[in-house]
Amino acid sequence: MSKLPGNDTPTTIDLLRHGACEGGEIFRGATDSVLTPEGWQQMAAALAPHSGWQRVVSSPLQRCAGFAERFASDRQLPFSLEADLREIHFGIWEGRQISAVWREDSATLEHYYRFPGAVTPAGGESASDARDRLARAWNSLLSRHRGEHLLLVLHGGAIRLLLCHLLGAPLTSSQHFSIPHGCLTRLRVYHLDDGDFPQIVLHQGGAS
């Protein structure tokens, strides 16, 4: 079904993952890395074919916020930061090379990715807590900006968890969503009598 009846204008929300970052292949959750020049290009290329946004909202981490603020300024769009759009915190793995953690404890790391929610690194944020945080941010934005077209700039893990929430999928489904650097996913939210109904209407893979 391409269109649903509703009482109000649908809300359109685009989710853009940040581009490639400096620092290599690390557990980049709360680690505040900056974009590489390639990362800036990936994000710009993802948005180039599209238009129509009425405001830009970003994770506060600079790999998202730096691009998002400049993009909003160039187009004279309202811009804001939303703390709850930040990436999941990886605890004792935070900022470390993924390959090094794999060498030390491949069994735990494989379990973490295959069964999200079953394992949380010490000092980290659980997948369920991160999903609930992102759901709160989504619901707040939807309430405040109903009927608008928003661009949210955030993170790969955050997008996966948010999609699980919106589609009613278990956390174990999160790794089935491919969200590479510069990936753009568009959702249209229909406001029906019995509640909101989100549909994925666009998913562009970005950089592989």
Side-chain angles (χ1 to χ4, degrees), residues 56-74:
V56 180
V57 184
S58 175
S59 159
L61 295 170
Q62 58 185 329
R63 59 189 182 271
C64 296
F67 176 90
E69 185 172 18
R70 182 182 298 180
F71 184 85
S73 176
D74 288 346

Side-chain angles (χ1 to χ4, degrees), residues 13-195:
I13 300 183
D14 292 346
L15 310 176
L16 175 67
R17 186 191 176 189
H18 64 77
C21 299
E22 295 183 357
E25 295 296 320
I26 64 172
F27 283 99
R28 187 177 284 105
T31 302
D32 204 7
S33 303
V34 298
L35 293 171
T36 63
E38 179 189 16
W40 281 87
Q41 293 168 4
Q42 288 167 342
M43 298 173 77
L47 298 181
H50 306 286
S51 62
W53 300 285
Q54 293 170 274
R55 68 182 60 247
V56 180
V57 184
S58 175
S59 159
L61 295 170
Q62 58 185 329
R63 59 189 182 271
C64 296
F67 176 90
E69 185 172 18
R70 182 182 298 180
F71 184 85
S73 176
D74 288 346
R75 287 153 183 79
Q76 298 183 319
L77 297 173
F79 170 75
S80 61
L81 298 175
E82 174 56 61
D84 281 343
L85 293 181
R86 66 190 182 276
E87 183 62 291
I88 191 169
H89 195 294
F90 290 110
I92 59 172
W93 297 345
E94 188 67 47
R96 297 191 61 200
Q97 293 288 330
I98 296 173
S99 58
V101 177
W102 178 263
R103 287 194 299 271
E104 292 175 8
D105 193 357
S106 60
T108 300
L109 186 54
E110 182 174 3
H111 201 63
Y112 180 82
Y113 280 110
R114 286 179 60 84
F115 305 102
V119 175
T120 302
E125 182 181 25
S126 71
S128 59
D129 284 349
R131 176 200 57 200
D132 294 347
R133 162 173 59 77
L134 290 155
R136 287 195 302 270
W138 173 273
N139 291 334
S140 176
L141 289 167
L142 201 59
S143 174
R144 285 181 280 142
H145 305 298
R146 187 181 178 107
E148 295 184 20
H149 185 175
L150 310 182
L151 173 62
L152 308 189
V153 184
L154 63 170
H155 309 268
I159 293 172
R160 291 184 181 95
L161 292 173
L162 185 56
L163 290 177
C164 283
H165 165 70
L166 295 173
L167 300 178
L171 288 171
T172 50
S173 299
S174 63
Q175 293 304 317
H176 294 284
F177 299 116
S178 176
I179 314 288
H181 291 135
C183 181
L184 181 68
T185 303
R186 173 168 296 171
L187 295 110
R188 189 159 293 132
V189 184
Y190 295 92
H191 306 293
L192 308 181
D193 291 338
D194 59 352

